[in-house]
Amino acid sequence: MVGHFQEFEDEYLETMYEFHEAEPMGIVRTGDLATRLGVSPASATEMVQRLASRGLLEYLPYKGARLTNEGLVHGQKMKRRHRLAEVLLEHLPYEGNAHETACRLEHAIDDDMEVALSRLVGANALDPSGRPIPPPTEDIESRLKETGRTVSLLEMQDGESGHLVGMLLPVGGKKGLEAAGCALGSHVSKSGDHLLTSSGEVLSLSNDWLQAVFVNLDENTT
């Protein structure tokens, strides 16, 4: 039950962050929050007061509530993880309800997984609906800076090089690339429309495959 209750709190803070995106630090009426979440106004008020007692919301009786700095960080993190999950599902591709599945996945994403997904998605990415993915919080940002910029092979520019860090491919496709010298951790470079491996192989891949393989760029090429 503790885990499920934490998820309820996460949903409230994430929804408050959605209101924040539309009107930064604006006051959200409890009724509007309840409608967005599909709960009763009484339930929303109870949760708002609970979160306010923990310093995550500022509760203004008869007016509504707004995020505190701490609540803003938490809501931003949850919304970022939700949209990262949606992008991941789009890459797979996933044929179910991506939004509902992302709602479940976001609660299972920890800091390490968020860093990994951030590397795959890259900076300034949009979710499948065209909405910007919220920026990483300071703790995640510091970890991402340590690893450099990650892009897909499709985004890789002529002359750039780096190490492979991710593949969203069927097992057969992954094994085929590994046999051609493109295993995770191997070094590759882009030359025109071709990919050059450290073993001397010259590969020409479809855009679908280029979009599904990710590389951490060398510093001297970023």
Side-chain angles (χ1 to χ4, degrees):
M1 289 299 294
V2 174
H4 288 301
F5 193 77
Q6 179 64 55
E7 291 183 10
F8 291 144
E9 293 183 344
D10 290 344
E11 290 294 336
Y12 271 81
L13 293 172
E14 181 182 350
T15 303
M16 287 292 292
Y17 182 80
E18 292 176 357
F19 282 103
H20 170 81
E21 287 183 309
E23 183 182 353
M25 301 314 294
I27 298 174
V28 180
R29 293 185 300 179
T30 306
D32 292 338
L33 182 60
T35 298
R36 181 76 64 88
L37 287 164
V39 299
S40 70
S43 295
T45 299
E46 181 181 356
M47 180 62 83
V48 164
Q49 292 174 337
R50 182 185 296 273
L51 293 171
S53 70
R54 294 176 51 199
L56 297 168
L57 292 180
E58 178 186 2
Y59 178 52
L60 306 169
Y62 308 110
K63 293 183 179 180
R66 60 187 167 202
L67 292 163
T68 62
N69 288 336
E70 184 179 353
L72 177 61
V73 169
H74 191 91
Q76 175 181 328
K77 182 179 286 287
M78 295 310 302
K79 180 51 67 178
R80 174 177 174 80
R81 290 178 176 180
H82 177 96
R83 290 180 181 164
L84 285 172
E86 286 189 323
V87 174
L88 173 65
L89 293 171
E90 183 182 43
H91 272 300
L92 289 179
Y94 178 70
E95 296 181 356
N97 188 312
H99 177 75
E100 291 184 2
T101 301
C103 282
R104 295 191 293 272
L105 286 176
E106 67 187 65
H107 302 290
I109 296 174
D110 60 11
D111 287 356
D112 292 335
M113 179 59 74
E114 183 179 345
V115 168
L117 289 175
S118 298
R119 290 172 181 163
L120 292 181
V121 170
N124 304 317
L126 302 176
D127 75 1
S129 299
R131 297 167 300 184
I133 295 176
T137 49
E138 290 183 5
D139 55 331
I140 301 298
E141 178 67 22
S142 63
R143 292 181 60 178
L144 292 173
K145 286 181 178 179
E146 294 174 358
T147 59
R149 189 163 67 95
T150 300
V151 298
S152 70
L153 292 181
L154 185 62
E155 299 169 302
M156 199 175 181
Q157 300 299 308
D158 186 21
E160 288 185 330
S161 60
H163 291 84
L164 294 180
V165 294
M167 297 183 188
L168 295 176
L169 293 171
V171 174
K174 183 178 178 182
K175 288 183 177 179
L177 284 182
E178 290 173 346
C182 280
L184 291 179
S186 61
H187 194 264
V188 297
S189 59
K190 193 79 171 287
S191 178
D193 294 329
H194 301 291
L195 192 68
L196 309 180
T197 72
S198 55
S199 61
E201 297 283 347
V202 180
L203 305 179
S204 180
L205 306 177
S206 69
N207 284 349
D208 287 343
W209 279 42
L210 290 173
Q211 189 174 349
V213 181
F214 301 86
V215 61
N216 192 29
L217 294 176
D218 293 334
E219 290 187 7
N220 61 347
T221 65
T222 59

